[in-house]
Amino acid sequence: MQKSSSLFLRKIEQFIEQKELMNKSQLYLVALSGGADSVALLLALKKLGYNVEAAHCNFHLRGEESDRDEDFCKNLCRELDIKLHLAHFDTQTNANLHGISIEMAARNLRYNYFEALLKDINASAVCVAHHKDDSAETLLLNLIRGTGIEGLTGIKSKNNKIIRPFLCVRRNEIINYLEQQNQSFVTDSSNLVNDVQRNKIRLDVMPLLQTINPLVVEHLNQTGEYIEEATSILNTALEQMQDRVVLLKTEGQTIVDIERLEKEQSSSYLLWYILKTYGFNTAQIKQISCGLKTSVGRVWESATHALTINNNKIIVEPLFTCDTREYRLIEEGLYHLNSKLSIEIKKEPYSIDNGFSKDPKDIWIDADKVAFPLSVRLIKEGDRMIPLEMKGSKLISDMLTDTKVSYFDRQRQYVLLNNGQQIIWLLGRRIDDRYKITSSTKTVLKIKLL
């Protein structure tokens, strides 16, 4: 009995060393639910000499059962002389507030709490008790839902500040270890109901597969490890391919050259590899890939970014936060309107010998045709002006289309308006013909974008 227990602990310690998961000189937090897996993890890490504290979340979803779990964790940590951190959440209200499932709300609350607690106690990582069976279930679940190659690697032993020392053992080994230690645990009744996808896999699919092959869990985990190694090699190649097709990659913008992209082997998969970082889903990326030549000007949005196709380029930028303000310019002077927009206005006598500015960002207009206060705002639907050297008015949206201004630049396009709300200047591009300098001009307003 003791020998079996020692073998279990030795397997855990060897896995931790092999994967470089933990260091005995550092502090770690164990996510403790009170269930068999997390109880065994806390017990094993303590016996192996790691410096651990525990954290328990009460989500108040199962009435007395939730309180029972909390009491169990308190008593266990008292017996083991381990510090316990407790958190209480109104999970149902949080899920309703954010329009998400109970499961997603609980997950978000739990991991946000862990992240904050790690900083508070200066711990290195959170240890969670996922094991081989969990990893096999995850691989199958991802396969059924539809996934890329990385989804077939199962659960990773380390993911940022989350580490999983039990991914080398099966669930039955964990139960055997607890029995040998004469250690009790609690059972979450919701795990015994097959009304959630993962529970259907656990309670129905896996037992059926084990009748076909009793070693199915081991084989799925082994396959996941092979795929993880292959993925590492593939990602190295994809990074090299990405470097060849991405013209620009900054915090504010990513530009992909379509012509170069199409020359690469499996261009559609390369595009998925590039765009998944920005939150675009598989269906969107498939549409984008199919529309590289036919969807010029169309816009796709993820939760965080927008993408458009223009001039044989794929352009990705963070979603634009619309500036709804209208800035007033009451007289000559320097105006810092926002973090990206500054304007300087000067009034000077004019002589025809001085000529005129040809810089669209530094305009000269007839001061006598202008009445303060002026104003600056983003363009609106229906805005019109008379472009310089033209007679009739034109929609600004058509002007921008004619000059092939990108979707993103249109979103950020400001106009300068006279006191009567007549557009004087499409900032950085073109003035209205009614405000141009003529032979009768005596005074000019020099307006410059800084």
Side-chain angles (χ1 to χ4, degrees):
M1 191 75 74
Q2 186 64 37
K3 183 178 179 181
S4 177
S5 175
S6 298
L7 289 173
F8 178 83
L9 292 176
R10 192 175 303 125
K11 183 185 289 190
I12 304 300
E13 187 154 45
Q14 287 175 347
F15 183 75
I16 290 172
E17 291 174 356
Q18 177 194 351
K19 299 293 184 178
E20 298 181 343
L21 299 181
M22 302 175 72
N23 187 314
K24 290 185 178 179
S25 66
Q26 297 173 352
L27 174 64
Y28 296 90
L29 195 63
V30 175
L32 181 65
S33 68
D37 302 338
S38 65
V39 169
L41 179 61
L42 184 67
L43 198 63
L45 292 179
K46 181 175 174 60
K47 285 185 177 293
L48 287 170
Y50 290 100
N51 185 17
V52 294
E53 294 180 6
H56 177 76
C57 299
N58 189 334
F59 296 104
H60 293 282
L61 292 172
R62 294 176 287 113
E64 292 182 0
E65 223 180 66
S66 292
D67 295 331
R68 176 209 65 182
D69 294 354
E70 179 180 323
D71 290 339
F72 175 86
C73 292
K74 287 178 180 177
N75 293 330
L76 176 66
C77 289
R78 192 179 300 116
E79 292 170 7
L80 295 176
D81 192 26
I82 291 175
K83 185 173 182 178
L84 175 65
H85 304 268
L86 287 171
H88 290 257
F89 300 111
D90 185 349
T91 314
Q92 183 66 65
T93 298
N94 183 274
N96 295 341
L97 181 65
H98 294 94
I100 56 179
S101 68
I102 289 290
E103 292 80 7
M104 183 58 70
R107 185 184 187 281
N108 291 344
L109 289 167
R110 177 170 61 245
Y111 282 107
N112 287 340
Y113 169 63
F114 288 161
E115 184 177 352
L117 186 55
L118 283 176
K119 294 177 182 177
D120 288 344
I121 67 174
N122 197 28
S124 297
V126 179
C127 304
V128 295
H130 292 124
H131 46 73
K132 278 187 173 183
D133 297 71
D134 291 323
S135 187
E137 291 164 9
T138 297
L139 192 155
L140 279 179
L141 197 56
N142 289 343
L143 185 61
I144 292 167
R145 289 171 175 168
T147 183
I149 292 177
E150 289 187 355
L152 299 178
T153 60
I155 300 175
K156 297 185 183 302
S157 60
K158 187 172 186 178
N159 187 9
N160 295 322
K161 294 288 187 177
I162 306 296
I163 57 177
R164 300 178 173 91
F166 268 10
L167 282 181
C168 59
V169 294
R170 293 285 309 276
R171 165 77 175 182
N172 65 313
E173 293 179 88
I174 293 170
I175 298 300
N176 289 339
Y177 174 69
L178 290 173
E179 289 175 352
Q180 292 159 14
Q181 300 300 309
N182 197 27
Q183 176 62 60
S184 61
F185 55 88
V186 295
T187 301
D188 180 349
S189 61
S190 64
N191 287 336
L192 302 179
V193 182
N194 65 347
D195 60 349
V196 178
Q197 286 182 331
R198 180 174 289 278
N199 283 347
K200 286 181 180 293
I201 296 286
R202 179 175 299 157
L203 300 175
D204 299 334
V205 177
M206 291 303 294
L208 177 61
L209 292 177
Q210 286 171 336
T211 64
I212 301 172
N213 183 351
L215 296 176
V216 64
V217 171
E218 298 289 350
H219 290 171
L220 284 173
N221 275 276
Q222 184 64 69
T223 298
E225 289 180 19
Y226 291 151
I227 294 175
E228 187 172 4
E229 291 177 10
T231 300
S232 177
I233 298 169
L234 174 62
N235 286 345
T236 299
L238 286 167
E239 284 294 322
Q240 295 170 351
M241 295 165 72
Q242 181 177 239
D243 289 343
R244 292 195 291 266
V245 304
V246 174
L247 302 179
L248 175 71
K249 188 171 185 179
T250 66
E251 188 175 328
Q253 189 178 68
T254 297
I255 300 177
V256 179
D257 187 288
I258 292 175
E259 187 174 340
R260 294 184 187 181
L261 176 70
E262 292 180 329
K263 290 179 180 178
E264 295 290 343
Q265 187 175 13
S266 190
S267 59
S268 58
Y269 189 82
L270 175 58
L271 185 61
W272 173 85
Y273 180 78
I274 295 169
L275 297 183
K276 68 182 176 70
T277 308
Y278 304 105
F280 294 98
N281 60 43
T282 303
Q284 288 176 308
I285 296 172
K286 186 174 182 180
Q287 287 180 346
I288 295 164
S289 181
C290 292
L292 293 178
K293 299 296 185 185
T294 59
S295 299
V296 175
R298 181 176 172 182
V299 178
W300 288 267
E301 290 187 358
S302 71
T304 57
H305 287 74
L307 177 152
T308 190
I309 298 171
N310 193 44
N311 292 331
N312 212 29
K313 307 288 188 296
I314 298 169
I315 306 168
V316 184
E317 291 191 11
L319 287 177
F320 178 70
T321 303
C322 187
D323 184 356
T324 58
R325 294 181 59 185
E326 185 165 315
Y327 303 95
R328 289 170 62 82
L329 314 179
I330 58 175
E331 60 185 12
E332 298 175 64
L334 176 62
Y335 294 85
H336 297 291
L337 305 183
N338 58 41
S339 61
K340 296 183 179 179
L341 181 61
S342 296
I343 290 179
E344 184 179 42
I345 303 176
K346 293 179 181 178
K347 184 183 287 186
E348 295 181 3
Y350 177 71
S351 167
I352 196 167
D353 296 331
N354 295 339
F356 57 90
S357 173
K358 296 181 179 180
D359 185 349
K361 293 184 179 181
D362 182 9
I363 64 163
W364 296 7
I365 59 176
D366 193 321
D368 293 331
K369 298 175 182 177
V370 174
F372 283 96
L374 308 180
S375 58
V376 174
R377 62 162 171 80
L378 287 172
I379 59 171
K380 295 179 180 178
E381 187 176 353
D383 276 346
R384 305 183 74 95
M385 65 183 290
I386 301 176
L388 185 64
E389 306 302 338
M390 291 183 63
K391 293 182 179 181
S393 69
K394 190 167 184 176
L395 282 169
I396 286 178
S397 58
D398 289 343
M399 292 172 58
L400 296 176
T401 298
D402 291 346
T403 51
K404 297 182 179 180
V405 176
S406 75
Y407 163 79
F408 298 106
D409 287 337
R410 293 186 195 197
Q411 294 280 91
R412 294 186 291 262
Q413 181 63 60
Y414 287 89
V415 286
L416 175 70
L417 301 100
N418 204 350
N419 192 15
Q421 295 296 296
Q422 192 176 74
I423 293 174
I424 299 172
W425 180 29
L426 189 61
L427 265 65
R429 299 188 189 279
R430 203 164 184 178
I431 66 168
D432 188 287
D433 190 73
R434 289 165 288 191
Y435 297 90
K436 68 184 180 182
I437 293 171
T438 66
S439 58
S440 59
T441 299
K442 296 179 180 179
T443 310
V444 295
L445 273 185
K446 294 183 176 181
I447 308 175
K448 187 175 184 178
L449 276 178
L450 301 177

